[in-house]
Amino acid sequence: MKNKILKLKKEKNAILLAHYYTLPEVQEIADYVGDSLALAQAAATTDAQIILFAGVHFMAETAKILNPTRKVIIPDMEAGCSLADSCPADDFAQFLQNYPNHTVLSYINCSAAVKALSDIIVTSGNALNIVSQFPVDENIVFAPDRNLGAYVNAATGRNMVLWDGACHVHDQLNADAVFDLKQRYPQAKIIAHPECKATVLALADFVGSTAAMLKFVSSDSVQEYIVATETGIIYEMLNQNSQKVFHIVTTDQSCSCNDCEYMKKNTLTKIEKALRTETPEIKLDENLMVLAKQPLLRMLEMGR
Ligand code: 13P
Ligand code: SF4
């Protein structure tokens, strides 16, 4: 299957972009593996004819918006995102009516329609940097992730109005589970993704995006880590740090509840089929793409 995909990729001048949360065998054959920010940047600049996006739907939409002349295909249209789903565009438009004169910042984990209602997009990799560039007294609405929003508020001394959304994978991780692991492995440092609850982040030695966590463990001298995020990241952590030990935080030792089931829908079989048939393809309304592109371009500009 891997050889078939590699051959098709070459024949069709396609690039395979994969998020760190996808299955190890997918990351292994991807042209580029990254976090949301790096993947958006890669999608914006590629000259490949086809972008095959092994991630989730909003990421593939973002690729199409940033590089509309490319054909963007996704292995499974059902690869959604609970965080993006927690902010329906109609409800958000209504919510914004309560906040005139507010700058609207949205986390990239949202639909194209929510992006179109936003002034600027951020990712977990650049949110602190971008929010810090606004005056302290700027009125800001932040959507859809209440945990990331609260983290940015605390870290930058802002008081952004938060939409009440969350990622089911990160939001279910709790401080007790982190604390238990720390009791068992006191020498380990705790690292966490900012989509986790404040009670988890309060215990962390380092908080950062997927790519930032990877960079942290690779440059840090400690040998052992307690990792509060989605399980897929462990593959690349071990790739880069084979001598280090990682303990993933789970809600229940008998389940892999912090596997993002949407990311795991990107199997090799579906990737091969998507590439062979060039479907399903991401198609978006032209006007919507124009509206959603502005806040994304602002992000790429301000996040530089
Ligand atoms: P990053 O890729 O920005 O770290 O976000 C994590 C995530 O949940 C992606 O959906
Ligand atoms: Fe969405 Fe959470 Fe899955 Fe990321 S991990 S794609 S935020 S559901």
Side-chain angles (χ1 to χ4, degrees):
M1 194 54 78
K2 280 182 185 164
N3 286 336
K4 276 189 191 171
I5 295 169
L6 294 175
K7 192 161 167 270
L8 279 167
K9 249 179 351 101
K10 213 170 173 181
E11 278 168 19
K12 298 195 176 216
N13 185 18
I15 187 172
L16 174 57
L17 302 181
H19 191 272
Y20 285 122
Y21 295 170
T22 54
L23 297 162
E25 60 268 32
V26 174
Q27 296 189 43
E28 234 173 72
I29 55 157
D31 294 291
Y32 196 84
V33 184
D35 68 354
S36 307
L37 177 59
L39 292 173
Q41 287 163 335
T45 50
T46 184
D47 48 18
Q49 216 30 56
I50 296 178
I51 299 173
L52 173 53
F53 214 118
V56 293
H57 189 265
F58 78 80
M59 294 179 178
E61 264 188 354
T62 302
K64 182 70 188 173
I65 293 163
L66 286 170
N67 210 339
T69 59
R70 308 294 171 227
K71 188 177 229 182
V72 178
I73 53 178
I74 179 168
D76 189 330
M77 272 293 182
E78 301 295 310
C81 168
S82 58
L83 178 53
D85 289 348
S86 71
C87 188
D90 290 350
D91 296 350
F92 189 50
Q94 219 165 359
F95 177 80
L96 290 179
Q97 308 259 318
N98 302 320
Y99 302 101
N101 310 318
H102 278 59
T103 300
V104 181
L105 250 76
S106 293
Y107 186 33
I108 199 164
N109 298 39
C110 64
S111 65
V114 168
K115 287 186 177 76
L117 294 167
S118 309
D119 296 304
I120 181 159
I121 303 302
V122 300
T123 74
S124 54
N126 61 23
L128 290 179
N129 172 15
I130 289 179
V131 170
S132 303
Q133 292 179 48
F134 287 97
V136 187
D137 57 356
E138 177 102 3
N139 292 320
I140 299 176
V141 167
F142 184 87
D145 191 355
R146 59 172 179 256
N147 293 334
L148 176 63
Y151 169 71
V152 173
N153 269 345
T156 63
R158 301 300 201 275
N159 189 23
M160 302 184 297
V161 176
L162 307 182
W163 175 267
D164 190 17
C167 154
H168 73 296
V169 177
H170 290 89
D171 198 50
Q172 68 175 340
L173 300 178
N174 63 60
D176 288 348
V178 178
F179 195 71
D180 283 354
L181 280 171
K182 185 69 182 174
Q183 301 275 83
R184 280 163 57 199
Y185 309 107
Q187 66 285 9
K189 273 191 186 170
I190 301 168
I191 59 173
H193 194 280
E195 287 176 21
C196 294
K197 288 191 282 250
T199 46
V200 168
L201 300 181
L203 296 172
D205 296 291
F206 179 79
V207 176
S209 75
T210 310
M213 278 194 273
L214 276 162
K215 198 168 164 200
F216 178 77
V217 299
S218 295
S219 57
D220 190 51
S221 57
V222 166
Q223 293 302 304
E224 211 163 332
Y225 298 87
I226 294 164
V227 184
T229 188
E230 209 271 354
T231 51
I233 194 175
I234 301 297
Y235 172 74
E236 187 55 26
M237 276 186 175
L238 280 170
N239 246 354
Q240 293 180 17
N241 306 278
S242 54
Q243 77 293 358
K244 295 197 176 187
V245 179
F246 302 101
H247 308 284
I248 192 93
V249 179
T250 55
T251 40
D252 171 351
Q253 282 178 353
S254 66
C255 89
S256 49
C257 318
N258 51 337
D259 274 346
C260 173
E261 64 269 40
Y262 303 115
M263 288 284 186
K264 307 304 186 227
K265 282 184 184 290
N266 296 291
T267 60
L268 289 180
T269 308
K270 286 187 215 163
I271 288 173
E272 190 275 338
K273 186 168 178 226
L275 203 46
R276 184 165 33 84
T277 61
E278 298 185 19
T279 59
E281 184 183 352
I282 299 287
K283 289 196 169 144
L284 290 167
D285 175 80
E286 293 289 332
N287 292 333
L288 179 63
M289 282 208 281
V290 171
L291 289 173
K293 191 171 187 171
Q294 295 315 312
L296 278 165
L297 291 180
R298 265 189 101 188
M299 169 185 85
L300 295 177
E301 188 56 35
M302 284 181 83
R304 232 169 247 198

